[in-house]
Amino acid sequence: MRIGEGWGLVVVRLRHAAGVFGMVVALSLAGCDGDDGTGAVTGAGGGGRDKGTAAAIDAARAFQQASVNQDWEAACEARTERLRQHMGADTVAECVDIVEAPRIRDYPDARVTTGEAVEVEAFGPHPAGIGLRVTFEAGTAAAGMIIHTALRLVPGEEDAWLVDQVVNLDETMGTDTEAVRTALARK
């Protein structure tokens, strides 16, 4: 290979890695707690949640925990093929190459919380699924830094739930379940 060959791919991957960085930081740094919200998905399961909703919430938490543990293979496997391709990765291995880029900063006392799950309709290439707000608070490393993100989780194979869409929420537009629905229906 001559010098300069392959740099186009490197630039594309770096550009995608930069775009994904915010998502990785927001989702990768702490445990999860549920909190109250309106418009929650209800069903026949315990606590007002049906089995599918509970499984989607567990999948979101597993996705976050894989990122906390820097288990990039599990984090990439938890994404749909469509989301991996949007990142510039055709395979799980390419996704791992993108997301395992070094973090600029460490947030040792960060906190990640989740909101209530809400059903979301299909939009564009995204199938119907469960919408969920995830909030990242940086802690003392970057006091006051709070990032709200809407996730679309969709059923995968063998009753697994996969992250299919990630949209940052603007706090001025709200962070409740209606804001999650709106965000996941506009991008």
Side-chain angles (χ1 to χ4, degrees):
M1 178 174 4
R2 292 179 306 184
I3 295 176
E5 283 184 7
W7 280 108
L9 179 59
V10 169
V11 170
V12 168
R13 285 196 174 164
L14 286 174
R15 209 173 322 141
H16 287 294
V20 172
F21 176 75
M23 177 182 70
V24 171
V25 168
L27 298 177
S28 67
L29 300 168
C32 308
D33 295 324
D35 58 22
D36 293 332
T38 59
V41 176
T42 59
R49 293 185 178 146
D50 64 21
K51 183 179 177 183
T53 301
I57 291 169
D58 289 344
R61 288 181 177 157
F63 173 77
Q64 292 169 353
Q65 191 61 51
S67 297
V68 168
N69 297 342
Q70 297 183 16
D71 182 352
W72 304 125
E73 186 171 351
C76 287
E77 286 174 349
R79 292 171 169 89
T80 61
E81 182 177 346
R82 177 181 25 263
L83 181 57
R84 286 193 305 267
Q85 288 176 346
H86 179 72
M87 296 168 54
D90 289 326
T91 66
V92 170
E94 289 175 358
C95 175
V96 169
D97 288 343
I98 291 169
V99 298
E100 74 179 355
R103 291 189 272 180
I104 293 173
R105 190 180 273 168
D106 191 19
Y107 300 93
D109 60 344
R111 175 180 157 100
V112 176
T113 58
T114 57
E116 289 295 321
V118 61
E119 291 180 8
V120 290
E121 295 181 7
F123 175 77
H126 306 289
I130 301 292
L132 191 65
R133 176 191 43 80
V134 177
T135 299
F136 167 77
E137 296 178 55
T140 57
M145 185 173 102
I146 299 172
I147 300 170
H148 302 283
T149 307
L151 299 180
R152 176 186 300 263
L153 292 110
V154 297
E157 296 178 13
E158 300 177 18
D159 296 326
W161 286 81
L162 302 172
V163 177
D164 188 65
Q165 186 181 13
V166 178
V167 178
N168 288 333
L169 294 172
D170 180 355
E171 208 169 301
T172 63
M173 303 298 285
T175 59
D176 61 6
T177 55
E178 208 45 50
V180 168
R181 269 195 190 113
T182 301
L184 294 174
R186 75 171 184 260
K187 292 190 178 199

